[in-house]
Amino acid sequence: MSILRLYLITVIGKFNIRIVENRGDETMTRYILSTLIILSFIISAGCANSEQNNIKGKDDHTTAMGDIAEETSSMHELPMFLKDQTDNIKTIYKASAASQELLEKIPCYCGCGESVGHKNNYDCFVRENKKNGGVVWDSHGVNCDVCLETAAQSITDYQNGKSIKEIRKEIDQKYKEGYAKPTPTPQV
């Protein structure tokens, strides 16, 4: 269960108790609880699914979705936006930066292809590799379970000897229903 879902369950539970204690109105409680549950499903359905969230100008370091671009001197230096993130997320970011050849052949199914112009799962973590070895990181993957799970599964499977073609087939199969349109990643 994602951290967001646990948080929403906690918030819904606390909110529900306050409504019952303050109002005593069972109908109002059901209405608010139902609304919050529906909202939580909408939020957890994916990272984005709107064409209005296009990348802003080149000099801007955020997208309309609020994704941050941060440059470091190399892939071994993580960006500051990961400072307070879990070790798992930091590990996935490090592994993703080191797995460009693989992840550029794996699509992402969170909707980022349409919302922020990503071409593959690698784009969820790294925006640009500089000629001097610097890396422009993308914060998009931090808040997206689909991005994180896709990268983690792909990298693990590759390290365990699966071919890129096998991994691509498994990812396409896993996310073919109930997820957003995949990034426009060419077939392997």
Side-chain angles (χ1 to χ4, degrees):
M1 184 175 285
S2 75
I3 294 170
L4 176 63
R5 288 184 187 155
L6 288 174
Y7 175 74
L8 286 172
I9 290 169
T10 303
V11 169
I12 290 168
K14 288 178 182 175
F15 188 74
N16 189 22
I17 291 167
R18 265 191 251 127
I19 294 294
V20 171
E21 290 173 356
N22 294 339
R23 304 253 185 211
D25 184 359
E26 195 172 311
T27 305
M28 179 62 95
T29 301
R30 286 186 192 152
Y31 172 77
I32 292 172
L33 184 58
S34 299
T35 303
L36 289 172
I37 289 171
I38 290 168
L39 181 61
S40 73
F41 284 119
I42 291 169
I43 290 170
S44 66
C47 295
N49 204 5
S50 168
E51 292 184 30
Q52 296 173 347
N53 295 328
N54 292 322
I55 294 177
K56 291 184 179 180
K58 197 171 189 176
D59 295 325
D60 208 343
H61 296 292
T62 61
T63 65
M65 284 184 59
D67 295 339
I68 299 168
E70 183 180 331
E71 186 173 345
T72 63
S73 62
S74 75
M75 74 169 72
H76 304 292
E77 180 186 350
L78 291 174
M80 289 304 295
F81 65 74
L82 291 177
K83 181 182 174 206
D84 296 326
Q85 297 300 323
T86 66
D87 287 341
N88 286 342
I89 290 175
K90 290 175 186 176
T91 299
I92 293 171
Y93 262 82
K94 283 180 188 176
S96 295
S99 302
Q100 181 177 1
E101 182 183 340
L102 166 65
L103 295 182
E104 284 185 336
K105 294 179 176 72
I106 304 298
C108 186
Y109 283 82
C110 79
C112 62
E114 292 182 337
S115 65
V116 291
H118 288 175
K119 304 288 184 219
N120 50 60
N121 188 235
Y122 186 73
D123 290 348
C124 301
F125 305 96
V126 176
R127 217 175 262 193
E128 180 183 356
N129 292 293
K130 300 283 189 170
K131 290 181 181 181
N132 67 1
V135 174
V136 179
W137 300 89
D138 193 313
S139 69
H140 181 81
V142 168
N143 299 307
C144 184
D145 289 342
V146 173
C147 300
L148 293 166
E149 290 171 8
T150 299
Q153 178 184 343
S154 299
I155 293 165
T156 301
D157 287 350
Y158 192 68
Q159 289 173 345
N160 289 331
K162 287 189 179 178
S163 71
I164 294 175
K165 191 171 188 170
E166 289 173 309
I167 296 166
R168 169 69 185 261
K169 184 177 179 182
E170 287 179 11
I171 294 296
D172 287 339
Q173 184 65 30
K174 180 177 180 177
Y175 294 103
K176 74 178 182 179
E177 291 181 23
Y179 293 90
K181 182 179 175 182
T183 53
T185 310
Q187 288 293 326
V188 179

